[in-house]
Amino acid sequence: MRTDHFIRFERVDAVEQTERGLLARLHGEWLRLEAVRSDVVRVQLSRGGVFDEQPTYAVCVDPFDGDGDGDDGVAWRAEPGEDAWRLTTDDAVVTLWLDPFRLDVHRPDGSVVVESVPDEDGRYWTYATLNDAWTMRRRIGRDDAVYGLGEKGGRHNRRGRDFTLWNTDVLNEHATAEFRAGLDTDDPRADMRSVEFDPYYVSIPFFHHLDTTTGAAAGSFVDNGYRGEYEFSRDDEYRVTFHGGQWTEYVFAGPSMPTILERYTWLTGRASLPPIWALGYQQCRWHAYSQADVEAIAKRYRADEFPCDGMWLDIDYMDGYRVFTWDSTRFPDPEAMLKGLANQGFRTISIVDPGVKHDPGYEVYDDGVEKDVFCRTEGGDIYIGQVWPGNTAFPDFATPEARAWWGALNARHVESGLAGIWNDMNEPATGEISPLGMLFDKGRAKHERFHNQYAMLMAMGTLEGLRAARPELRTFILSRAGFAGIQRYAANWMGDNQARWDHLWVSMPMACGFGLSGQPFVGADIGGFQGDTEPELFLRWMQMGALTPFARNHSEVGVIEQYPWSFGDEIHGLAREAVRLRYRLMPYLYTAFVRASETGEPVQRPLVLDHQTDPEVIDVDDEYLFGRDILVAPVTEAGMTSRSVYLPEGDWYDWHTGELHAGRQRITVPTPRERIPLFARAGGAIPMWTEAPPSTDGYRPEVVELHVFDPVSDGRWESLLVEDDGLTVTDGEPERLTTTVVVSRSGGEVSVSYETSGPGYAGHARTRFEVVRHGR
C-alpha cells in the first residue's frame, strides 16, 4: 500500500499520568498508554478526539481485570523526563518519546519488544494517517521470524511476504479480482488456487515476532476489523496499515510464545470444550443426496467397521437453497432419517448460509423484512447480493436483534434432530455483486467496519440459539470465515482446497497459523474439495487428516467419489487403520482439547511453539506436534518412499518400530504405503482406548491404556488424562475426572505414578489403567 501522502504524527504536546498509565496530547488527538498486565500494554489513539471503546467484538473480557476478580494487580510506575516519559512494569518498559514522537517497548533487560523505525530521511513513522487510513513502521531483525495472522497460505514463517486482512471467498473470481490485478501470470499470487494466494477466508490481526538471535518473542494484536495490510517483505522494518478505524493495539512482551498465546486468548476468549463426537471422523460431500442415499452411506460405514461420527448435508438438502428448509422430494421424512442415524451413532450436521433468498412469500424472508433485520443500503433499500439461491438478503448481524432472530431460526432448525450447524459463504460472499453497498447497524456503519467480523457475529447468533434450544448440551458450529475471537463460537475449516499434493502440504502451516492465532479447532477437507483426487493422495491425506484437530472427508459436486471405499480394498483398509488410530487416541486428543479450552494452547502445534530457541525449527512447516507428545511427519509428495524428519529437543520413539532417537537432529525415515512417520516423546504417557469403536456414541470403556515411553535421562514428566461424558455442560466445577500421570527416572530406574481428582460424572465406566511400556 502506498503511504507517500500520509501525514505523520511527529511531536507530543503534553503528557499526564492517569489511573492506568499515561495520556498524551498530539496533533489534536489523545494517546493512551496503559498497563493491562505486567507483560501486556494497550495503546489507543483517538479519532476526532474520541476513543472507540469497542472497536470490534474480539476482546471478551475487561482488560483491566487481569484475573477476573475485579483487581488487576498490575504494579506500574510513570517516570516523566525532558525527552520522554516511561511507563514501567515488572516485565515491560514503554518509552514515549516526545519530539520526535516515538513509541518503544522493551523488556527490563533492554531487549526489544517494539521499536519505531526512521525512514531514509531520519523521520519516524510511529503513526501516520490519510483520511480514514493509518499506518506504522517498526524495526525487525534481518533474520527474524513472524508467525500468526490466522489463515494464510504459504510457509508458516510469514517473513519475506506481504498480507492483506480481508475475508475473501477464495474461489470467487469477482471477490479475488482486485488481489490478482496487475500481477504477472507466473506469479503464484495471481492464481486463486495457488497455495500462495492471499487473502483467505479468515482475518486475525495478531502475530508473534521472534527474534532469532535471542529466541525471545513479542506479540501484537491490533483490535481493528477494517481491511489491514501487513508488510513483512523488507529487510529491517515491517509496516502495518489499516484502512479505517482507530489504532487500538495490545503489545505482548513475552518472551515465551506459549505465554503470549495464553495472554492473547485470555483477551479474545478460548474455544469451548467441544462435544466428543465432533472429534470423530466426519463424512461430507456436496451432492444431491436423497434420504435413502444418506442412509445407505451410513449403513456402509457400519458394515465396513469404519469408525465415523458425523454425516454432513451440503446445500442440496434445501428447498431451492432456501435456508432452514428441506427438499421434501429428496427428504420426505428428515426427522425419521435423523433419528435413525442417531440410533446408529451418527450425528448429522447441515449447512446454513447467511444469504436469505429474496423471495416474497418465503417465510424466513418475509419475517426478516417484517422485523427489519436485514442489511440496508445507503438509500435505505434492503441490500441484495447473489449467492446460491440467486438474489439474497443478508442479516444485519451487527445488531443484537438480528443475531437473536437468527439464533431462534437455528434453534427451530435443530428441533428436527440435527446435531450441529455448518456456516459457509459467510465472508460474506456476495457473488458478482460488490459487498460494499451492504451497510450494518441499521445503516449507521459502513460495510468495511464489520466485513471481517461478519462470520463471527453470525456464529455468535447461531450459538445463542443453540444454547437456548439445548442448554444442557455442548454446541458445535463450523465456520468458513472468521475474525479474532472466532474460537469462542465455532471451529474453522480451511475452505475450498484442491485435490493436490501442495494443498495437502499447505494445510499444515495453515493449521499451525490458526493455532498460534488462538483457534485450536481446525482442519482441511481430506482428499481435497475441488478436483479429482488420486488413490495415493487420498490415502496420504487420510493418514495425516486423522491426526489433525478436525477430520472431515469432503469434496465438491462433479468430481469422482472419494469415500474410503472408492479406491479399492487396499486403500480402503489402510484408510480405516488410520482412522482407527485416531479413535484409539481419543482420550489423548480429548485431553488436548481440554488444555486448549483452559490455556489457549493449540492441538496441532508448530515445533517452534515449544522450541523457539532452536534455530532449526524456525522454518519447519512439513511436520507438527499433535498434542504435546506426538510428532507427525506426513507424506507430501507422490511416490515418496522416505523423508527427512527433524526431531526437536528431547528423545523420541518411532511410533511404529519402537526405535529410539535423540533429539536436535535430522533423520531419514521410510514411508511405506501403510503408514506415515510418527514419534512419541520420551517421558510421555499417552492414554489410549484399547480398540476403535464404530463411533464415540455411548462408548464407555472399562480399561484405558497408558502408553508410557521410557525416559532416557533422569527427570520428571507429567501427562494428563481428562474424562467426562463428552456431551453436557455443567455449571460450576466440571463433572469430570482428571488424572495426572507422572513418569520419572532416577538412577536408571523408571517409575510411573498417577493421581486422579474431580467429582466424576454419570456413566463413568473405567475400572483400571493398563500400562503399556515402550523402551528398554
Side-chain angles (χ1 to χ4, degrees):
M1 180 177 177
R2 290 183 57 184
T3 57
D4 46 333
H5 294 291
F6 277 53
I7 300 167
R8 285 184 291 266
F9 280 27
E10 299 189 283
R11 185 168 65 88
V12 176
D13 299 319
V15 183
E16 63 182 87
Q17 183 174 329
T18 68
E19 181 182 355
R20 291 172 175 158
L22 303 178
L23 180 66
R25 184 74 171 169
L26 68 167
H27 292 257
E29 298 291 355
W30 297 100
L31 174 71
R32 285 177 179 165
L33 302 176
E34 297 169 312
V36 174
R37 297 173 76 150
S38 66
D39 56 352
V40 183
V41 176
R42 186 173 73 176
V43 182
Q44 286 181 297
L45 189 63
S46 67
R47 275 196 182 275
V50 177
F51 287 105
D52 186 346
E53 302 295 359
Q54 190 182 26
T56 74
Y57 285 83
V59 174
C60 62
V61 296
D62 177 356
F64 298 98
D65 183 7
D67 54 10
D69 63 0
D71 178 13
D72 61 19
V74 179
W76 61 272
R77 66 182 184 275
E79 303 172 13
E82 185 174 328
D83 298 323
W85 279 64
R86 286 180 174 82
L87 174 67
T88 302
T89 71
D90 290 344
D91 296 297
V93 179
V94 183
T95 305
L96 173 61
W97 299 92
L98 306 181
D99 189 7
F101 164 51
R102 285 183 284 156
L103 185 63
D104 299 333
V105 182
H106 296 82
R107 301 182 188 91
D109 63 4
S111 58
V112 176
V113 178
V114 163
E115 273 190 349
S116 301
V117 65
D119 62 15
E120 59 273 10
D121 298 321
R123 304 177 71 183
Y124 286 89
W125 287 73
T126 306
Y127 179 86
T129 183
L130 180 66
N131 303 324
D132 286 334
W134 58 271
T135 190
M136 57 186 178
R137 301 180 187 178
R138 290 176 176 168
R139 193 181 310 278
I140 192 169
R142 187 174 298 270
D143 298 318
D144 287 359
V146 174
Y147 306 101
L149 296 185
E151 185 182 33
K152 292 297 175 187
R155 295 175 294 109
H156 182 222
N157 182 359
R158 313 302 189 198
R159 194 67 197 285
R161 292 169 293 157
D162 304 331
F163 300 94
T164 299
L165 299 187
W166 183 253
N167 290 1
T168 302
D169 182 2
V170 174
L171 294 187
N172 184 313
E173 61 180 352
H174 305 285
T176 60
E178 64 171 300
F179 305 110
R180 295 180 286 115
L183 298 174
D184 294 337
T185 55
D186 59 351
D187 189 325
R189 295 171 300 168
D191 177 4
M192 50 197 183
R193 291 172 175 81
S194 164
V195 298
E196 296 288 344
F197 180 79
D198 187 70
Y200 248 74
Y201 307 98
V202 178
S203 299
I204 301 179
F206 168 73
F207 70 91
H208 303 254
H209 171 192
L210 181 63
D211 183 329
T212 55
T213 301
T214 66
S220 166
F221 168 52
V222 178
D223 191 9
N224 186 309
Y226 285 78
R227 181 181 299 206
E229 315 280 348
Y230 283 77
E231 299 181 25
F232 297 118
S233 56
R234 301 170 190 273
D235 286 342
D236 55 5
E237 69 174 63
Y238 66 86
R239 300 181 179 183
V240 178
T241 303
F242 280 83
H243 292 241
Q246 292 187 10
W247 177 18
T248 299
E249 181 183 14
Y250 294 85
V251 177
F252 304 83
S256 156
M257 289 178 68
T259 299
I260 292 170
L261 189 55
E262 186 276 330
R263 302 292 193 260
Y264 168 74
T265 55
W266 162 73
L267 276 173
T268 62
R270 295 177 182 132
S272 297
L273 192 57
I276 192 169
W277 58 261
L279 307 187
Y281 175 76
Q282 313 291 316
Q283 170 59 50
C284 186
R285 184 188 179 198
W286 175 15
H287 183 73
Y289 288 119
S290 68
Q291 182 169 327
D293 293 333
V294 175
E295 292 168 339
I297 293 169
K299 184 177 180 180
R300 177 68 187 267
Y301 269 103
R302 292 294 178 255
D304 286 353
E305 298 182 341
F306 196 111
C308 183
D309 266 83
M311 299 294 291
W312 293 59
L313 300 174
D314 211 317
I315 55 176
D316 287 308
Y317 81 92
M318 292 181 276
D319 176 15
Y321 306 126
R322 295 171 180 85
V323 290
F324 306 113
T325 68
W326 290 83
D327 184 321
S328 60
T329 301
R330 290 197 180 102
F331 295 90
D333 194 349
E335 289 83 359
M337 178 191 73
L338 297 175
K339 184 177 180 180
L341 291 173
N343 288 338
Q344 299 174 69
F346 291 99
R347 263 70 175 196
T348 307
I349 302 92
S350 74
I351 199 167
V352 176
D353 294 346
V356 176
K357 183 176 176 63
H358 178 269
D359 183 16
Y362 163 38
E363 179 186 0
V364 174
Y365 176 78
D366 290 346
D367 192 49
V369 172
E370 180 182 346
K371 290 185 169 62
D372 191 21
V373 293
F374 290 130
C375 292
R376 297 279 179 174
T377 66
E378 185 179 9
D381 293 342
I382 291 177
Y383 169 84
I384 298 298
Q386 174 260 317
V387 201
W388 296 115
N391 285 352
T392 50
F394 291 79
D396 185 358
F397 292 126
T399 69
E401 297 86 358
R403 294 197 298 273
W405 175 76
W406 192 256
L409 288 170
N410 279 276
R412 189 173 68 183
H413 190 48
V414 299
E415 287 178 359
S416 61
L418 292 166
I421 297 295
W422 170 19
N423 289 165
D424 194 9
M425 310 298 286
N426 54 351
E427 292 71 40
T430 58
E432 60 188 23
I433 300 172
S434 170
L436 298 181
M438 181 194 302
L439 303 184
F440 295 105
D441 195 17
K442 296 190 178 295
R444 293 185 291 261
K446 63 182 182 179
H447 182 82
E448 291 86 343
R449 180 179 177 92
F450 288 102
H451 176 92
N452 283 343
Q453 298 183 73
Y454 190 78
M456 185 170 76
L457 294 171
M458 179 184 182
M460 185 187 302
T462 303
L463 182 71
E464 291 170 357
L466 296 182
R467 283 181 173 169
R470 299 168 176 169
E472 76 286 359
L473 293 180
R474 301 176 198 173
T475 58
F476 177 72
I477 302 167
L478 183 71
S479 179
R480 187 166 77 173
F483 184 67
I486 183 64
Q487 67 272 6
R488 303 197 302 265
Y489 308 107
N492 283 106
W493 96 103
M494 299 173 198
D496 298 342
N497 62 358
Q498 305 294 303
R500 299 186 337 208
W501 287 97
D502 58 344
H503 277 249
L504 180 156
W505 163 78
V506 82
S507 69
M508 285 185 277
M510 194 173 280
C512 290
F514 263 120
L516 288 187
S517 303
Q519 174 57 291
F521 204 173
V522 292
D525 284 344
I526 293 173
F529 172 75
Q530 191 171 77
D532 292 336
T533 195
E534 300 169 346
E536 183 185 6
L537 173 61
F538 176 78
L539 173 61
R540 294 308 197 182
W541 213 321
M542 284 288 286
Q543 291 169 334
M544 178 188 73
L547 298 173
T548 59
F550 179 62
R552 184 181 71 162
N553 176 359
H554 182 41
S555 58
E556 74 169 343
V557 67
V559 301
I560 64 171
E561 292 184 349
Q562 58 180 52
Y563 302 107
W565 51 82
S566 299
F567 303 99
D569 291 343
E570 182 188 15
I571 299 295
H572 185 191
L574 293 176
R576 179 169 47 214
E577 289 308 306
V579 173
R580 281 178 174 173
L581 175 60
R582 178 185 185 86
Y583 276 76
R584 290 196 62 204
L585 284 168
M586 192 62 68
Y588 171 80
L589 174 59
Y590 187 77
T591 300
F593 270 90
V594 173
R595 281 198 173 107
S597 70
E598 294 177 345
T599 69
E601 70 176 70
V603 175
Q604 184 174 354
R605 47 208 292 153
L607 272 58
V608 71
L609 177 64
D610 299 286
H611 304 279
Q612 67 187 66
T613 60
D614 182 352
E616 295 298 318
V617 306
I618 299 301
D619 292 310
V620 170
D621 50 23
D622 63 348
E623 56 186 86
Y624 57 88
L625 289 169
F626 188 52
R628 292 184 175 183
D629 294 324
I630 296 177
L631 187 149
V632 185
V635 171
T636 58
E637 297 176 7
M640 182 183 285
T641 58
S642 66
R643 62 154 292 173
S644 173
V645 177
Y646 182 75
L647 300 175
E649 185 177 6
D651 297 288
W652 298 87
Y653 286 90
D654 187 304
W655 184 271
H656 308 291
T657 68
E659 186 177 359
L660 178 65
H661 300 275
R664 302 204 74 160
Q665 66 164 329
R666 279 200 169 272
I667 63 173
T668 299
V669 186
T671 58
R673 198 173 180 86
E674 62 268 19
R675 65 177 190 255
I676 59 174
L678 300 178
F679 296 86
R681 187 191 305 274
I686 296 177
M688 296 179 66
W689 286 340
T690 59
E691 62 180 358
S695 77
T696 62
D697 186 55
Y699 187 66
R700 299 286 186 270
E702 294 184 2
V703 177
V704 170
E705 294 178 346
L706 289 178
H707 287 255
V708 175
F709 293 84
D710 280 5
V712 177
S713 56
D714 287 357
R716 181 180 186 276
W717 291 261
E718 281 192 5
S719 298
L720 202 66
L721 168 65
V722 178
E723 300 166 286
D724 59 27
D725 69 7
L727 299 173
T728 58
V729 178
T730 56
D731 295 327
E733 184 180 4
E735 295 180 0
R736 62 171 57 152
L737 293 171
T738 300
T739 301
T740 302
V741 182
V742 176
V743 178
S744 58
R745 180 186 174 103
S746 177
E749 191 171 277
V750 175
S751 64
V752 180
S753 62
Y754 73 91
E755 182 176 341
T756 299
S757 62
Y761 61 96
H764 175 64
R766 178 181 55 77
T767 59
R768 69 185 190 276
F769 291 117
E770 288 186 357
V771 176
V772 181
R773 185 178 178 188
H774 302 261
R776 293 175 291 181

